[in-house]
Amino acid sequence: MNKLIGGVAAGVFMTLGSAQAGMITDVVNQNGYVSGFLDSYSYYHDITDNGFVPGSDLAVSGDISIKVTDDSRWDWFEIVVFTIEEFDLDSGGFTLGSSFNNTLEVEALAALNADGLLDVTVTSLSGDFYVGKSILNVVTEAVPEPGTLALLGLGLAGLGAARRRKS
């Protein structure tokens, strides 16, 4: 009997303990032109289109890749600032006219968990260029509901009480 109770408890823990992780890839295709000093281009990624439900799902990690191409005019160089949510150099950064790849840090993940949206702004400090395809990859996990955890606790308490009564 003890082995049966232990087996049931282990099965319940393994079922609830294994989070259902998933990968969401959101692609935004654009051809936005940034014309020069302090001009910017803004857009957003919406992962709710891909099945993400804020409050039920949790974005735990991710990365973003933004393609930037020269406009074929003769410039000395381009300095590009990438702002992800707010300017903080955690998820955002600078490049010298090349594409941008970075991991999402706490502020960007918090924004995704709040409403499923990630705001992106690309700004020129020097030169003009086109903002192309932006790819956002996010790893998600399901958040267990409080009711499920309460039922698990009651069930385990009941098993413990039944075991004490038999002893």
Side-chain angles (χ1 to χ4, degrees):
M1 182 66 171
N2 287 341
K3 288 183 181 181
L4 176 64
I5 292 173
V8 169
V12 168
F13 277 123
M14 289 192 316
T15 302
L16 291 175
S18 63
Q20 297 175 347
M23 172 69 88
I24 294 176
T25 299
D26 187 59
V27 178
V28 177
N29 290 304
Q30 63 227 336
N31 193 25
Y33 181 65
V34 179
S35 63
F37 181 67
L38 294 184
D39 188 25
S40 62
Y41 180 79
S42 296
Y43 62 96
Y44 64 92
H45 283 275
D46 183 357
I47 61 173
T48 61
D49 294 343
N50 302 84
F52 183 83
V53 178
S56 294
D57 296 322
L58 183 66
V60 294
S61 66
D63 60 78
I64 189 166
S65 173
I66 305 167
K67 182 154 179 66
V68 173
T69 56
D70 190 16
D71 64 346
S72 299
R73 293 185 193 167
W74 190 79
D75 293 317
W76 285 95
F77 57 90
E78 277 118 1
I79 300 175
V80 185
V81 178
F82 297 89
T83 306
I84 312 299
E85 282 304 314
E86 293 182 11
F87 183 74
D88 61 6
L89 290 181
D90 280 342
S91 297
F94 295 90
T95 67
L96 296 175
S98 63
S99 295
F100 176 77
N101 298 298
N102 207 358
T103 57
L104 300 180
E105 299 297 332
V106 173
E107 191 171 307
L109 291 171
L112 284 171
N113 286 322
D115 59 7
L117 301 175
L118 186 68
D119 298 321
V120 179
T121 302
V122 181
T123 306
S124 172
L125 292 184
S126 174
D128 49 347
F129 50 86
Y130 288 95
V131 179
K133 183 188 289 188
S134 179
I135 303 171
L136 175 67
N137 295 306
V138 179
V139 176
T140 63
E141 290 182 357
V143 176
E145 295 183 25
T148 303
L149 294 177
L151 284 174
L152 171 66
L154 286 173
L156 291 176
L159 286 174
R163 183 174 179 182
R164 277 196 176 163
R165 206 173 253 184
K166 285 187 176 188
S167 312

